[in-house]
Amino acid sequence: MKILCVGGAGYIGSFVARGLHSKGYQVEVLDNLSSGHRAALFTEIKLHHIDYGEVSEEFLSGFNYFILLAGKIRVDESMDNPWLYWHENVFKLANFLDKIPQDSVVIYSSSAAVYKPKNHPLKESDYLGPSSVYGATKAAAESLIEHLALDKNKIRAICLRYFNAAGASADGKFGEDHSPETHLIPLLCKFALGQTERFVIFGDDWETADGTCVRDFIHVEDLAAAHILALEFLKKSDARFEVINLGAGTGFSVKQVISELETILQRKLKIEVSAKRPGDVPFLVADIQKAKDLLNWSPSFTLSDILKSALQFHKSKPTGYPDFDS
Ligand code: UFG
């Protein structure tokens, strides 16, 4: 197995690459460092500082397993600049997949953003209907991969639909560092640590038990472990194409997350409330039976573990990773 982790210097990608390296797999990273960080990788992991839209067929011929985590991830940005999202997440991906060797194995990082969440928990077979351009590009990428796997017989692939990835390594050395940060848990932790002045809940009048949105938070270490199991599954089986949800299988509201953090800190936080954020949906909770059955995977970290590790990361790296390369 010669594995190329594309977007492997990003938040989730770096956990996957370090996880593979620690288990003795032969893994290299390709990343343009537009949002990834060299410091998020061990120095022993070879990093190719190239955009995934610009690699040559010859370079790609050196690998037979590809974990694809590159691309743009912000819902709000995708609504402001749809073309950028189609270009980065779909056109570049199609071009990349065209160049990889016949019979490659692909693990693709998809998102819960592909669903139209009418019910919960959400099953892989549930109705798709992205509410953002970001979600639409992830759904299109899944279709592209499905076609290459089932009609063209070029690749075998698994699309992993992440729910809300969060948390950091237990020692606080590796964690979430986006610029700008838009995600709930890092923003809450930074506020609790006094690194930012305000924290605002986007709407408390949703049709949920306490009026705030419910999300399924999955520890990034659990996500990384699922990628390795997905690779092993495709190595051992002759499966051609699967789509698998990755979440904890349990929902917590924004207010419940705040309350859990207050319990850890043993103090109350002064939280503000504003209007709803465009593009949000009230519930996003995964049915994770398929991941359990097919990959023999189940999450091992709790929301409290996620929050404690994230606090530790933001405490030790108040300004994030040193960006000596980007
Ligand atoms: N939230 C706040 N205040 C903040 C930030 C977030 O109240 O300052 C709320 C949001 O309104 C939402 C919840 O916290 O209800 C979670 O928001 P995040 O931005 O952390 O995550 P999302 O659920 O919006 O997005 C995640 C991924 C996306 C993906 C989406 C759907 O980050 O990439 O799930 O799968 F598209």
Side-chain angles (χ1 to χ4, degrees), residues 72-75 110-115 132 134-135 138 162-165 176 178 181-188 198-203 206 212-217 254 258 272 274-277 279-282 284:
K72 296 272 172 197
I73 62 160
R74 278 178 49 201
V75 169
S110 189
S111 165
V114 298
Y115 289 112
S132 65
Y134 164 71
K138 298 311 264 186
Y162 309 151
F163 282 65
N164 288 63
E176 188 167 6
H178 294 120
E181 189 52 78
T182 60
H183 294 112
L184 174 68
I185 288 185
L187 286 174
L188 258 182
R198 306 172 69 199
F199 179 83
V200 181
I201 297 178
F202 298 136
W206 292 92
T212 63
C213 291
V214 173
R215 292 290 182 272
D216 182 334
F217 299 94
V254 172
I258 294 169
E272 299 166 52
S274 76
K276 288 173 177 157
R277 182 172 69 174
D280 273 347
V281 290
L284 268 180

Side-chain angles (χ1 to χ4, degrees), residues 19-266:
L20 284 164
H21 178 83
S22 302
K23 286 193 177 308
Y25 288 90
Q26 220 181 328
V27 59
E28 296 181 17
V29 164
L30 183 106
D31 202 300
N32 67 4
L33 298 181
S34 62
S35 56
H37 310 271
R38 190 184 282 274
L41 294 169
F42 300 141
T43 46
E44 314 86 79
I45 300 178
K46 187 162 184 183
L47 169 68
H48 303 272
H49 185 173
I50 317 171
D51 191 285
Y52 88 123
E54 283 165 16
V55 279
S56 69
E57 204 166 328
E58 190 193 348
F59 170 78
L60 295 173
S61 68
F63 301 91
N64 57 352
Y65 283 74
F66 298 89
I67 307 185
L68 304 182
L69 306 107
K72 296 272 172 197
I73 62 160
R74 278 178 49 201
V75 169
D76 58 335
E77 189 182 45
S78 78
M79 304 310 276
D80 292 341
N81 196 347
W83 189 249
L84 175 71
Y85 274 67
W86 284 105
H87 188 259
E88 293 295 320
N89 293 358
V90 182
F91 302 163
K92 279 188 183 176
L93 178 71
N95 188 33
F96 182 92
L97 291 170
D98 212 27
K99 290 185 204 159
I100 64 174
Q102 174 73 30
D103 300 323
S104 293
V105 163
V106 169
I107 307 295
Y108 176 70
S109 82
S110 189
S111 165
V114 298
Y115 289 112
K116 186 172 191 70
K118 290 181 175 171
N119 51 292
H120 58 95
L122 288 155
K123 281 190 169 55
E124 290 83 353
S125 54
D126 279 341
Y127 191 69
L128 301 190
S131 55
S132 65
V133 174
Y134 164 71
T137 64
K138 298 311 264 186
E142 284 191 6
S143 294
L144 189 64
I145 290 169
E146 181 176 9
H147 176 77
L148 278 182
L150 298 182
D151 300 333
K152 227 170 166 259
N153 288 324
K154 173 165 181 174
I155 59 174
R156 296 188 302 119
I158 294 183
C159 295
L160 298 173
R161 289 183 183 155
Y162 309 151
F163 282 65
N164 288 63
S169 60
D171 58 9
K173 281 190 186 159
F174 300 102
E176 188 167 6
D177 176 11
H178 294 120
S179 183
E181 189 52 78
T182 60
H183 294 112
L184 174 68
I185 288 185
L187 286 174
L188 258 182
C189 290
K190 287 172 111 19
F191 173 67
L193 291 165
Q195 295 170 5
T196 55
E197 286 181 3
R198 306 172 69 199
F199 179 83
V200 181
I201 297 178
F202 298 136
D204 63 356
D205 53 352
W206 292 92
E207 285 175 12
T208 58
D210 65 18
T212 63
C213 291
V214 173
R215 292 290 182 272
D216 182 334
F217 299 94
I218 179 73
H219 198 296
V220 65
E221 299 268 26
D222 279 328
L223 274 188
H227 288 72
I228 301 177
L229 291 171
L231 279 183
E232 286 296 340
F233 171 77
L234 284 175
K235 189 181 166 200
K236 285 181 200 135
S237 77
D238 56 4
R240 292 214 67 85
F241 179 76
E242 297 290 345
V243 174
I244 301 177
N245 282 342
L246 293 179
T250 314
F252 289 95
S253 72
V254 172
K255 279 189 177 166
Q256 284 175 317
V257 175
I258 294 169
S259 159
E260 185 71 36
L261 185 59
E262 289 175 335
T263 305
I264 293 167
L265 298 166
Q266 295 187 304

